[in-house]
Amino acid sequence: MLRRHTHEAVLALVTLLAILVLSLQSDQFLSVANLLNQGRLMTEVALVALVMTFVIASGGIDLSVGSIMGLSAILLGTFWDGFGLPLPLAMLAVLVVGTVCGLFNGIIIVHFGMPPLIATLGTLALYRGLAEGISQARSVRGWPEWFARLGQGDWLGLPVQVWILLAALALAGAILGFTRWGRTVYAIGASETAARFSGLPVDATKLAIYAVSGFASALAALIFVARVSTTRSDMGTGLELDVITAVVLGGTSIFGGRGTILGTALGLILVQVLENGLSLAGVKGDGTIVLIGVVLIATLLVSTLTERRARA
Amino acid sequence: MDIHIPEEARQQPDAAPPVRLGVRGISKSFGPVQALRQVQLDLRAGSIHALMGENGAGKSTLVKILAGMHAPTAGDLLVNGQARRFASPRDATAAGVAVVHQELLLFGELTVAENIFSGHYPRTRFGTVDWSGMRRRARALLAELDCHDIDVDTKVAALSVALRQRVEIARALNQEARVLILDEPTAALAERDADRLLDVVLQLRDRGVAILYVSHRMNEIFRIADEMTVLRDGQYVGTVEARDTDEARLVSMMVGRSIDQVFPKVEAKIGRPVLEVDHLCAGPLVQGASLTVRAGEIVGLAGLVGSGRTELALTLFGITPARSGRIRIDGAEVRITSPRAARDAGIAYVPEDRGHQGLVKSMNIRENISMAVLDRVSPGGMLRRAEEARIARDGFDRLGVRAAGIEQVTGELSGGNQQKVVIAKWLETKPKLLILDEPTRGIDVGAKSEIHRLMGEMAQQGLAILMISSELPEVLAMSDRVLVVAEGRITAELPRAQATPEAVGHAMTRRSDPGTRTGGSQQTGARA
Amino acid sequence: MTDLSQDAAAPRTGPIRRILRDYGHELLVVAAIIALLVVVGAINPRFVSARNMTSVFSGNAYIAVAAIGMTMIIVTRNIDLSVGALIGVLATVSGTLAVSGAPIWVAWVAPILCGALINAVTGLLVAYAGIPSIVVTLGMMAILQGGLISVTGGAWISDLPPEFLLAKMKVMGLPMPLVWAVALTVLAAAWMRLTPYGRSLYLIGGNAEAARAVGIPVRRRIVEVFMIHGAFAGLATLLFATQLQVIQSTTPPNLELLIITAAVIGGVSILGGTGTVIGASLAAVLFAAIGSALIFVNVSAYWLRAFIGVLILVTVLFDVMRRRRETRQKGH
Amino acid sequence: MTQTLTRTLPCLMGSAAILAASFAAPAQAAWTGGDDQPTSPLACDASTVAPDAGSYNGGTVTGAQPSDTLRVVDVPKLVGIGYFNATSAGVAEAAAELDGVEATTDGPAQANIDDQITLIDNYITSGVGGILYAANDPVAIAPVLRKALEAGIHVVGYDSDAEPDARQWFVNPAQFNGVAKTLMDELAQQIGADGSFAIVTSTFTTPNQARWIAEMDAYQAKCYPEMEWLETVEAQEDNILSFNQAMTLINKYGEDMDGLVGMTSVATPAAAEAVTQADLCGEVSVMGLATPNAIRPYIKSGCMEDAVLWNPVDMGYAALHVLKAAVDGTLEPGAAEVEAGRLGTLQIINGSEVLLGAPTVFNAENVDDFDF
């Protein structure tokens, strides 16, 4: 058990250590209000990272998530304000568009055999370009109260999006860990050919993963728009790097075949704890970025070396 | 049992060719695992030395030590009588040792010429890579190997396995090797290509090259080798001269006991037709194939590499769906568009390339065995671990997989045990037809006979088996009926009684014009 | 068996086909640049004026130079996401030295050496610790980016001595960045094509295991390639940071993606083992030409990124289809 | 042959797509300022209308706890550009002057709304007494600022505003229409009332720049109808990009362009550099917003006549003074003016905006008097 989850163990230790040290630096750090608030702030990245775990575990990568988020945000404004659709319908339409964007990634990767890194590098530019082109630099504001609650309100004492996040976390964890689809993802990541020759639905699964990645990005866009109550075409810029950092820090192998939702959750928590805790301890933002870079490399170094020793 | 023949006994006073490479008491351990213990052998100029042993006996480790890729923990390598250390492949090359590795170590995106000279480029007088000289010399080298049909400017990725092998040998020759090591060079070759290769090896021997030849194929060994060294479990068992030994003795040295029957064919009751194929077409290599396989019957599918035999299997299995033609299972027509549809129709396929297609090597035995029946162990999508483990244990026991348990990672298993896991996986789907593609390739003799025994048992239980094999003896010994494939069609059907090597061999080449075939068979010898 | 008539019949690839095959992608980018020049030049002749051509060919020179190193990295089947941040750090190093009164040549050499040194760390982590390069460089990017702002506090460097401003100098009437980019591209291309060392990068990217077997010290070489790439980043910095009289402590957003995109559109395969630096440099010119053309034909810059995206997708799509056909040929 | 063809296709298609789109896409949409607010061009002559103090429309802070030292965090749009280095220097200067005030500057590395919001949120949790901000997006930043007000934290903006009710006061460096008038008048003086000009801005979405351009558009239509507005291009907040874009504009229009206007403190010196390198000093005038240090060489070399900007050091300085006054209760809703240390008394307009004053014009005479 431990041998298979060395990385998660290392990571859990680092996270605990970070929490311990940081709580000594600031009284507010471990307060309930702060922790809940951190949950609110990390929701968008976390939602996308959960799905990215599937993408990377299947041996792929999706760099276009930030751009899909930007495009979705812009389209929400266009559908609602421009076309005059009722807001719930506009939200639904945006989720569909996000899914279609993801599906398009999937199609060029699966059916045209493009390497995922390059395919999504292309769509990263394409979707962002569409967002900029469609928005023509206009923002849409004045969202109704009920919509803003999605990003700013509470429900049963927890921020609304934290509920969504918890549900997504449980769902992703269950699917990757306990279902046929999760097993299929791992098999594809470890050896796509062998998975195909075992009669597993390789193409359909990959298409679905990229489509869900697009869906998650669109959902994150809805929550983000609700949180900041405006739409901008530059929303989600650089999101892909934050997401990949969390997933890789969480122990998902960039070559596929390995990774857990638990690891990704720990990775997300560690990054958030560092950002928040260091800020509360009076470290400036740029110092925090450096430290996250160091932690990323150091954690992977430790777990690679530990594993290598365990194997020797 | 020590069959080591004393040095002096073999020495014929004036004819003894010099020892080019001497291996003296070589041991190698990886952590606590002792991979090689006290191995010794002599490679002499103008002589072929066969290295034999079951999988895991340490052959590849020895080859890697001689290639400079591993450093031995103890022992000496003598090059022309002087002790040398090979700290890197470069040292081995400098000492005149060249290796043709089992998994062809080539650069697919680079041209044939560059592959031959990779790492040892010819230089111009300015010290830069001499491209035109390189192309010229590459052509000359290939001509020496009787290989006139390769354009030295094509990418290696576009060549067939047989031609790639030729490129590897040309690379070894270019280094003016005095010692040439060939690690299972014919494992991936059809009979005919293997023959051509053996001719090349003999030619090199006549030029005075000392050759170490690693192979499982007894007939090849006895055809070319002057002496043989056998390893077992990393131990040096002994060295014998070819003329003093026979197959049975060699096998007993390898497995440590005597084996009476390598191919224990059991008779099974042959029932109604399970698979009926009518004018199947797909891609360039399946051109209107028709065949029938009955319950309890083992049908051998023979043909040259590139004849379309694997492609036929891939079409039946839905990897490359049929363009036209009909497939009936148990009399009912089925459309097979994917491996999943094939599985649902009752077709199972144990593929040719075990490491890539058969297994997910980083996953354990349980996960591999359940892979083809995942939907059955996950009603509603949720995996039932207990059910999965039960199924895996069943298959594990039934096939007699030798491993620490069902949680062992399959990449750590020997070839024979890996193959058993793949077969167990497909038997779990309760197939009506089992297609076995090269079921014993690269598997040691012990495991080979076990697989053959299993095939017999499965046939007895009423399974229809279609077996593809490049080893004619295997096809002839195991099949109730032999079908010969050439150019995508079934060109001959021979009942067991009539299936002689001559008849099958003749049918394999019958359709094509022999004159163009000599060159052309190479070009088409590709895997899709 | 040996038969001379057969030997004569051995298939050969003629020199023209060989050039088309080896440099097809590069010729293609040239064709695209020429097509763009002709069409936009017809719409607005000022587009092909000497002055605008100078801007087009030298404006993205630093991207071309950085893309040379990136091409080498990608050829060995690695990637570097930290190069944009690295260029920012090196610019500050160079500029600080230039205003500190150190000899100008020190300010010029320092970024090249620092680039190599910083990337040596990356290379060591990739080659010896076995962490995938995409992860190491993601971390390095954060460290360099955050570190730079921590140290400088975001201050600009101004009052640069005029003799430091390399990019403003001219050689025989040609702008220095253009001369450098051409010279470095030709040198690097010749090096990668004509030296065994250069070829070894293709061997490593094509099949690392096989490269080891033919005697190439793969790990050491990967560290070296990262260092060479760092030195090219240093050279790119010199062209980048000396165009104006001030040095900003941030680099253009997504600079690393632009450099990777140039390498990819230039024909280097992300799967390793193919591609030349000439293509990468030409792609950088193509970007500059497109950026300029958009202004000349009055296309809203809003759509620029969408075009680049389509360009990447279409280029790679055709590359993938070509490869497929080549591999299928063997089964004809 | 087919092989070469398929290789040629992608790039040709790429070029074709660009050309096709060139006919489909309009060069630029009408200027709206990005927020669809109406423009209010000033009168063409020098007559000024006294700005209206209006009634207070800012937010209110609730539950503020008085404490001995006031901890203030200053969150600019981004760190790493000269302009905001100057504002934070002003904040530091005021902090040194005022008793019991500690101020730090911390901002995102890129002008990213999410990073800025997260940063402010963390400072709310850590319990600062006051927040100074320059918003990357007026609407996006509002919720977190409202949260700060509710947590008893005093909030004052500068440079770029948020929605009025999300902060108490805003230090307005200069009114949008005032900046537009100064820029256009200076430009007209240099290139004539029938000259042609182009603009280099950061992005079309950046709020201040978008509003200035909208006001300039309106003012030009009203007062200089003969002037020709050639086009506007984006160049981020990036030196090199600004330089390249300016160069391309020069190449495109040649002698048909009389003036180049930089809308950011980054774009203006880059445009001056482009004109210098193109040897067009005196033929193409460069104007715009810029810090004196960045444009000093060009003014000295005679390639640039003048540039417009308020003093960002003063702006940061004033912002902290206003915050301190709000904390101390000396500045209350409805006030018409506020004391700001060495700057003296500043006027309050539009309900809750503190007007820094008219923009300064830097030229050869006064450029050496400033250092920021």
Side-chain angles (χ1 to χ4, degrees), chain B residues 114 129 135 151 153 158, chain C residues 13 18 21 194 199 212 330:
Chain B
E114 188 167 6
V129 174
R135 277 197 296 273
D151 176 357
D153 289 313
Chain C
T13 307
R18 246 191 353 250
R21 188 202 56 212
L194 293 178
R199 296 314 295 170
R212 200 169 290 125
K330 67 183 188 178

Side-chain angles (χ1 to χ4, degrees), chain B residues 104 159-167 188-190 193 305 522 525:
Chain B
L104 297 176
L159 297 182
S160 68
V161 181
L163 288 186
R164 288 186 205 183
Q165 191 113 42
R166 217 55 58 80
V167 173
L189 297 190
D193 290 324
V305 165
Q522 304 304 324

Side-chain angles (χ1 to χ4, degrees), chain C:
Chain C
M1 283 285 277
T2 315
D3 174 350
L4 279 173
S5 66
Q6 241 178 340
D7 190 36
R12 291 200 187 188
T13 307
I16 294 175
R17 285 192 63 124
R18 246 191 353 250
I19 289 173
L20 277 181
R21 188 202 56 212
D22 289 352
Y23 296 101
H25 212 110
E26 289 75 3
L27 292 173
L28 175 63
V29 182
V30 171
I33 294 172
I34 292 174
L36 200 65
L37 296 189
V38 169
V39 176
V40 181
I43 295 173
N44 187 339
R46 277 197 186 128
F47 182 68
V48 287
S49 67
R51 196 164 61 203
N52 197 50
M53 284 301 94
T54 313
S55 308
V56 164
F57 283 98
S58 65
N60 267 4
Y62 72 99
I63 291 184
V65 172
I68 293 173
M70 184 62 81
T71 303
M72 295 177 187
I73 291 289
I74 300 180
V75 161
T76 62
R77 224 187 266 222
N78 282 296
I79 198 148
D80 182 5
L81 297 178
S82 68
V83 65
L86 180 63
I87 287 176
V89 168
L90 297 178
T92 302
V93 167
S94 179
T96 309
L97 284 169
V99 296
S100 74
I104 291 301
W105 65 268
V106 173
W108 283 341
V109 172
I112 302 172
L113 290 181
C114 288
L117 277 179
I118 292 172
N119 266 15
V121 177
T122 311
L124 286 170
L125 286 167
V126 172
Y128 288 94
I131 312 176
S133 54
I134 189 171
V135 179
V136 175
T137 56
L138 190 62
M140 286 303 282
M141 173 173 149
I143 293 172
L144 294 172
Q145 224 170 39
L148 177 60
I149 294 183
S150 294
V151 171
T152 62
W156 290 12
I157 301 167
S158 48
D159 298 326
L160 295 166
E163 64 273 22
F164 169 71
L165 300 176
L166 204 62
K168 289 184 170 190
M169 300 176 188
K170 295 204 168 189
V171 188
M172 294 182 303
L174 293 170
M176 192 69 105
L178 176 63
V179 175
W180 274 45
V182 171
L184 288 171
T185 305
V186 170
L187 275 177
W191 181 73
M192 287 182 81
R193 174 79 185 165
L194 293 178
T195 66
Y197 194 107
R199 296 314 295 170
S200 74
L201 309 189
Y202 291 95
L203 301 186
I204 292 170
N207 185 341
E209 174 72 18
R212 200 169 290 125
V214 298
I216 292 162
V218 173
R219 289 181 168 182
R220 203 182 74 209
R221 198 133 304 173
I222 285 180
V223 178
E224 289 163 2
V225 172
F226 266 97
M227 291 177 72
I228 293 169
H229 166 55
F232 271 100
L235 288 165
T237 303
L238 288 185
L239 303 184
F240 166 76
T242 59
Q243 299 182 83
L244 306 178
Q245 319 223 355
V246 289
I247 291 177
Q248 225 171 337
S249 56
T250 51
T251 47
N254 292 335
L255 180 58
E256 60 283 345
L257 291 186
L258 197 60
I259 293 169
I260 293 171
T261 306
V264 168
I265 291 189
V268 58
S269 163
I270 208 83
L271 302 172
T274 58
T276 71
V277 295
I278 297 176
S281 289
L282 288 171
V285 172
L286 181 63
F287 287 171
I290 291 174
S292 182
L294 284 175
I295 290 182
F296 271 88
V297 296
N298 292 340
V299 178
S300 158
Y302 291 127
W303 296 100
L304 172 62
R305 263 202 279 203
F307 292 145
I308 298 229
V310 171
L311 198 63
I312 298 175
L313 291 178
V314 176
T315 312
V316 179
L317 183 67
F318 277 87
D319 190 44
V320 165
M321 283 164 70
R322 176 182 60 81
R323 267 172 197 251
R324 268 196 195 172
R325 205 184 27 251
E326 261 178 24
T327 340
R328 213 178 293 139
Q329 270 175 355
K330 67 183 188 178
H332 63 128

